Amino acid sequence: MILVIGSLNMDLVVRTARLPGPGETVHGEGFATLPGGKGANQAVAAARAGAEVAMVGRVGSDGYGEQLRQGLQADGIDCQAVGVAEGLPSGLAMIQVDHASQNSIVIVAGGNGALTPAHIDAAEGLLARCTVLVCQLEVPQAVVGHALQRAHALGKTVILNPAPASALPAAWYAWVDYLIPNETEAALLAGVPVSDRASAEAAASALLARGPRQVLVTLGAQGVLQVNAAGARHYPAQAVQARDTTAAGDAFIGAFAAELERGGDVPAAIAYGQKAAALAITRDGAQPSLPYRAEMG
Ligand code: ADP
């Protein structure tokens, strides 16, 4: 079983010809509420990739919270440990997108910010039962640190996607088996610019020295760079016509975790993750774009 401890957000997406400046009002052309949040996206990606998945998180006591839980349950995800933070809104992303695909986004943590280490302890049964833990950084840092430490102590396979980019406490690295940043996140964590495969390898090697078992840097259309004690290996991405790259990283991580959990080796899991990401970017949106196992051959 894969346990995802992380965020659930409702994305409120408005399309407009041009983004408004301060004090300005413009007409929107369309509006959609779409379930998202990195934690929920990765949980859905793993479930659709064929894994048994449970999630620990917090939604608000509003209608969106119920919708977010129901969406995960429709994908067969165990949501018993997705609680309701009374008096708070659900996590929200207010997203404006213009005709040039430029966007401006305001994120409100809402219920996600109310997740505490005590909620992780209350879900000890799930932590004990899982084989793989997946975390990101959209819930409070104290929660993520506690989850990584507990899972590592229990001998679980620990995956950390350090997104959105933020410096990590030094102690965390040794608790992580697979650290999976994108180029921006790798650059911020390692403190060196990342613009190509060579600089990604330098950043990943610096991160590996801090203690994780492996570092996988996702390089967008350039694929994935794996760095471990044996050296570096590059896996090219599938050649596809990208339409909407939202949640490419989430698709990769969920499917990678699913393949690893059913016993695939790391190269197979990377290949599977890249297949899922390639399909996801040919479709619009975050969760609606995530592919099912039957589509992935
Ligand atoms: P994030 O969405 O977190 O920024 P990336 O952009 O690095 O992550 O994408 C994650 C993975 O998705 C890549 O490693 C690759 O496999 C796939 N991917 C992303 N963009 C493309 C693309 N344009 N063509 C093919 N694959 C892509």
Side-chain angles (χ1 to χ4, degrees):
M1 187 261 279
I2 296 175
L3 182 63
V4 179
I5 297 181
S7 59
L8 303 92
N9 287 335
M10 192 58 90
D11 294 346
L12 310 185
V13 186
V14 182
R15 294 189 186 279
T16 170
R18 157 179 92 67
L19 303 178
E24 193 183 0
T25 301
V26 298
H27 285 283
E29 293 167 353
F31 174 67
T33 55
L34 303 168
K38 290 179 195 296
N41 291 347
Q42 292 175 20
V44 169
R48 291 189 187 166
E52 183 193 349
V53 179
M55 180 148 189
V56 178
R58 278 285 172 285
V59 293
S61 55
D62 54 10
Y64 291 144
E66 200 40 46
Q67 260 176 274
L68 289 168
R69 281 177 55 110
Q70 281 171 6
L72 293 187
Q73 281 163 350
D75 274 302
I77 296 166
D78 176 348
C79 288
Q80 281 179 63
V82 177
V84 175
E86 289 299 334
L88 286 177
S90 291
L92 288 181
M94 310 270 298
I95 304 174
Q96 302 172 343
V97 187
D98 72 10
H99 282 180
S101 294
Q102 297 245 81
N103 58 37
S104 68
I105 303 178
V106 178
I107 293 203
V108 179
N112 297 310
L115 194 66
T116 68
H119 293 131
I120 307 306
D121 292 339
E124 182 72 23
L126 290 174
L127 202 56
R129 195 156 68 78
C130 78
T131 49
V132 177
L133 174 76
V134 180
C135 289
Q136 319 75 26
L137 304 178
E138 280 186 341
V139 294
Q141 211 182 52
V143 174
V144 181
H146 188 62
L148 299 177
Q149 184 173 24
R150 290 289 305 133
H152 177 70
L154 291 168
K156 309 301 179 181
T157 297
V158 176
I159 297 176
L160 176 63
N161 171 220
S166 158
L168 306 180
W172 285 20
Y173 288 94
W175 300 330
V176 175
D177 293 291
Y178 300 96
L179 181 68
I180 313 186
N182 68 11
E183 289 167 289
T184 313
E185 292 142 11
L188 182 130
L189 291 181
V192 300
V194 173
S195 55
D196 54 18
R197 226 194 290 172
S199 51
E201 187 173 334
S205 299
L207 295 177
L208 187 74
R210 295 181 193 171
R213 197 145 62 89
Q214 308 222 12
V215 180
L216 308 180
V217 184
T218 63
L219 305 168
Q222 303 306 311
V224 172
L225 184 76
Q226 174 196 26
V227 176
N228 59 22
R233 182 169 165 191
H234 176 248
Y235 300 75
Q238 306 211 334
V240 291
Q241 191 65 45
R243 176 182 162 88
D244 176 357
T245 58
T246 311
D250 295 337
F252 173 79
I253 288 164
F256 171 84
E259 182 62 25
L260 204 62
E261 201 248 353
R262 58 180 162 249
D265 61 15
V266 177
I270 291 173
Y272 199 67
Q274 296 218 85
K275 203 179 268 188
L279 280 166
I281 66 176
T282 61
R283 308 167 183 169
D284 283 337
Q287 283 174 30
S289 75
L290 298 169
Y292 293 84
R293 189 174 185 188
E295 303 172 79
M296 289 190 271

